[in-house]
Structures are given as structure tokens and as C-alpha cells.
Amino acid sequence: MSRPPAAIVQLPPWLWGGNPTGFFADAGLHARVHNSVDGTWLVKTEERHRRVSPSLVEVHHMAGVRQTPARFDRIAIFAGPRLRGPLSAREHQVLSERSDRAMATKDIVDAFSVLTLQTLLADQNQLPDIVGHVHGELLDFRFSGEVADQVFPHAGVHVVRRRSELVHRIKMAGVLLRLEYDAQLTGGDLSGIKAAHDAGQLIFSSSEHLLNGAAFLDVYVGPLMGAASPAMWNLYAAREFGIVVYSLGRFIVAAKGDAAEMLHFLPVRGSLESVPTPTVRPDACSTALDWWGAKLNNLFGVLTDPVTFTDQAGRYVPVKHLQAISTVEQLFKRITSLQAAHRDVTARRVLFFSVMDTLHRLTGRPLEKHCSLEFATETLERLHATIPTEAADVLMPAAERGVTALRRIQDGFYLARQFGRDEIDVVDNGTATGTLDLEAAASEYLEMLRNATHGFGSNRSRRVGLTNTLLAHHDGDVPHDIGFLGYLFLLDLLSQPEILKGALYRGGRL
């Protein structure tokens, strides 16, 4: 069943100060009255109406390879409503303490902490100067004891800007969901929300903390920032318009081999293998940001289109919309957490299986499909063919590591190696019930480990023999990089928004 040309959306006449048309305009939605009696409108996105690409996220290059000379003054154009006042005494103190610590330790992490905090706390009218100062510090940076060479000669500054229409569209789902569950409000009685407002209570906050990543876009850019963990290529600071990104123009090792804080003395096992630090072209960081911004626009074009979240009668369903946004945001958050879990094999693996379950929801493809070496390799090759070479310097190394890890899962079938075979026999109660080649066995093994997040052993009779066979044949060694298979399929999802659109619409099913 194809999507309708427009969604039927019911709005109360008092919304947006009694101006529903103004609400639609601010959200970048095209609307016309459907039925004036029941307050329904026919709604679609402006880009859908005008048949143009979405423009909800903008990437601007302020300095670096893409912008010479630097244009820090342009940052003032993006400043939105003031979200905070001048620095408090406590903020001044914290900034001073961090500066003193950076001077004393000469540690790159302490230095970068100061630079990002300066950007975060800068007053709006000082932001262009502060950003210019931070960029100058990066260009002048030298490792302790070295004075000859710049460490970051290709450092750049970029703004990833979130358009206000994006926030309005996402907020619409929560507002209309509250209306469905508030009979007083639906009936036009505003006394309850007025009293709540006067008391400083929440008004339209249904699940808002599950879908607040678009406010600054840091959640949606997180997987790009951690694309080559445990190496990093950037710093960032959230601002009222989105984020300021400082690209380093190269990857640097971002994890210490020894304990960096007391929590690292807990008995948690991290990666046992060294990871080579990728090299990149001077324009790689800027090109990767451009690619990511374009794909986020396509993603949000699907994710904020009311038509995607209609029932089979064409009526907009707020909870269907809210669930979809929350699911996608959860995917981005968990992939970033997976990237950050370099020191924790167990945490990364659990996050990996959660990511793969979420991808099943968003693509319709089960874990065994995503864990097929043939399918993963095809996906990797397709991405290499479509992603610009410079952007691939940043985006693809971790994806390649994920596919390599999947291939190595097959090496763990030690009995097959000893027997000189490329398949295993599935045995149930002493009887051979079938065979699996090693590629299929690796996929099934990962499926078994995913199910084992609830405990080992199967309560499904048809899988008991398979589960026991896999436990017998495999040595249990799973490469830490297997988590990056989830990152590979995030890139794939970003590259194919039509798949996401179909999975979220579901033929109008709820």
C-alpha cells in the first residue's frame, strides 16, 4: 500500500495562539483545510509539496581547507535566541581551573577540554572571536618537547546547523499525543495547562527526553565523530543553533593504554588488539561532514514527514511518529556508546546486539541477514562505490573492521579446522539433523549470543540442538570490532532512506 499524498492531521483551533496555519508555516509544513468542522488539515512537508530535497540540516565551513581565508564572522549569523546569560562566578572558576590544569599537565585531553568549554560558554557576541581563538590554538599546537612541526596544520572549523523547522516537526508528535490522552484539553478547556504553566510544571513533554537529540544535533553527529574509535578526528561544542565542530585534519589516538581514572581499575576487559590509526587526506574531514549532513537531511526528510506516520485511512498517528523518532534516536545514541566502549568488551557486545535489533525494526532485515558475511561484504562494497573517496577516509575504516571481524568469527570453529572441514554437523540428542557452512554457522553463532543476553540455552525446541552444537564447535572468541558491523549498517541506512520510509510507514499499519 503506497503512502497517501498528504496526512490528515487534527489540530485544536487554540494551538499556536489560535493560529494553526502559523504553526504549520514555522514547521515547514504545507497545509490546507480538510474539514473545518472537526479541525482536520491535509498536511505534507514543504519539500514534498515543492518536490525539492529537504533542508533541515546545514553544514557550513568557517575555516580550514574548504574556507580560506577564515570567515568566523559568519558564525554570528547563526546565533538564535539567547539560551543563557553571562558566565556565572562558578563557570569562571571552572574554566580557570581547567586552564590551570592544562598548563600544568601539558596533556592534550586537558587542553582540548579547555578549548571546548570556552566555545560552549562563550557569549553569543563573543563566539566568533572565541572560535577563531580556538582554531588558532589548534594550528599552533605542538606536542610537549617538539617545536618544529604543527600537529594539526589542516585544522578546520565547521558549523552543523539545525533549522528550527526540524524541532517544530519533531515536537508536533509529543504535543498531539498529549492531546489524545487529555480529554479536558481535547474538549477545549485550557484551564489545566494554564494552571500547570503558572506552577512551573511540564506542559507538552510526552517522551521529550527520548527524542531531544535534534535540539543540538550532537546525538545525530555522534557516530560520525566516533567513526574510527579509538582514534578521533574532531572536537565539538553544542550551541543554540547546533554544534561547532573543530576538525583536526588527521586522526589521533584517543584512548590511553593504562588507567586514566579510578574506574579503570575495575576488572573490565577491553580490546586486546592494537588498532592502526588511519591516515586521511587534508579535505577528508570536511567532505565527511558534507556527506553526513546531506544524509541527515534525507533521514529527517523521512522522519519528520507526517505522511510516513499515517494509518490506512491516511490519518496522522502521533504515537507511531513518536515511536519512530525515538527508535532512530536510540540507534544513533547506542552506536556512539558502542564506539566509546573501547575499554569494555562486554558493554560493546551488548550494545551491538541492541543496535542490530533496532536495525531489524528500521529495515525489516533480521540479525542473521545483517550477520551474513556475503551481505555485509556487498554492503561495504556498495558504500565504497557511492561515498566520495575523501569522505571514505573518515567514514569507512571502522566499517571495514566490522566486516573483517565478522569474517574472523568463522575462525573460531576450531573443530571444523581440526577435522579439515568447511562445515559443521548440527546434532540433536546424538542425531545429525543437518549441516551448516561456516558462513551460516557464524551468523547463527551471533544469533545465539544475541539470545544469550537473556541467558545461555534455548527454550525453543527447534533451536536446542543448534545452540548446543554451536557451543561445542566454537571457541567463544569474538573480535571486539564486531560491534562496528552495526556502524556499517547505519551508514547503509543513511544511504538508503527509501528502505527506512517503507519500514516506518508499514503500509499504514500501526
Side-chain angles (χ1 to χ4, degrees), residues 236-297:
Y236 90 97
R239 293 294 307 192
E240 63 276 7
F241 47 75
I243 56 175
V244 176
V245 178
Y246 298 104
S247 61
L248 303 178
R250 59 175 289 186
F251 280 112
I252 60 171
V253 177
K256 295 182 177 180
D258 53 356
E261 57 188 45
M262 288 297 292
L263 283 174
H264 291 159
F265 289 114
L266 288 173
V268 175
R269 186 167 70 87
S271 176
L272 299 178
E273 300 178 348
S274 62
V275 179
T277 302
T279 58
V280 300
R281 297 167 179 82
D283 198 26
C285 301
S286 299
T287 309
L289 272 168
D290 284 337
W291 186 91
W292 200 269
K295 299 310 176 184
L296 282 185
N297 264 318

Side-chain angles (χ1 to χ4, degrees), residues 87 91-122 127 129-131 133-135 137-138 141 235-239 244 246:
L87 260 64
E91 289 168 340
H92 271 294
Q93 179 184 355
V94 170
L95 189 55
S96 177
E97 289 172 352
R98 290 198 186 180
S99 297
D100 291 343
R101 184 173 66 195
M103 292 293 293
T105 65
K106 307 298 183 183
D107 187 274
I108 191 171
V109 176
D110 291 333
F112 285 179
S113 176
V114 174
L115 299 180
T116 55
L117 188 61
Q118 288 175 335
T119 308
L120 177 68
L121 297 179
L127 185 59
D129 291 337
I130 292 295
V131 171
H133 161 74
V134 171
H135 183 241
E137 291 288 310
L138 291 174
F141 190 88
L235 317 173
Y236 90 97
R239 293 294 307 192
V244 176
Y246 298 104

Side-chain angles (χ1 to χ4, degrees), residues 396-466:
M396 296 305 291
E400 293 166 354
R401 286 161 53 194
V403 175
T404 299
L406 180 59
R407 185 177 294 108
R408 287 177 56 197
I409 294 288
Q410 298 181 28
D411 297 337
F413 289 102
Y414 76 102
L415 288 181
R417 291 202 310 272
Q418 290 180 9
F419 300 153
R421 300 181 62 190
D422 57 4
E423 62 183 15
I424 65 173
D425 294 322
V426 178
V427 178
D428 190 5
N429 288 324
T431 302
T433 59
T435 60
L436 289 173
D437 62 50
L438 294 187
E439 179 175 334
S443 177
E444 290 287 358
Y445 188 75
L446 288 171
E447 171 79 5
M448 184 204 71
L449 291 180
R450 178 262 175 207
N451 294 337
T453 58
H454 307 288
F456 280 91
S458 180
N459 57 9
R460 291 183 291 171
S461 59
R462 65 183 182 84
R463 287 193 66 90
V464 170
L466 174 60

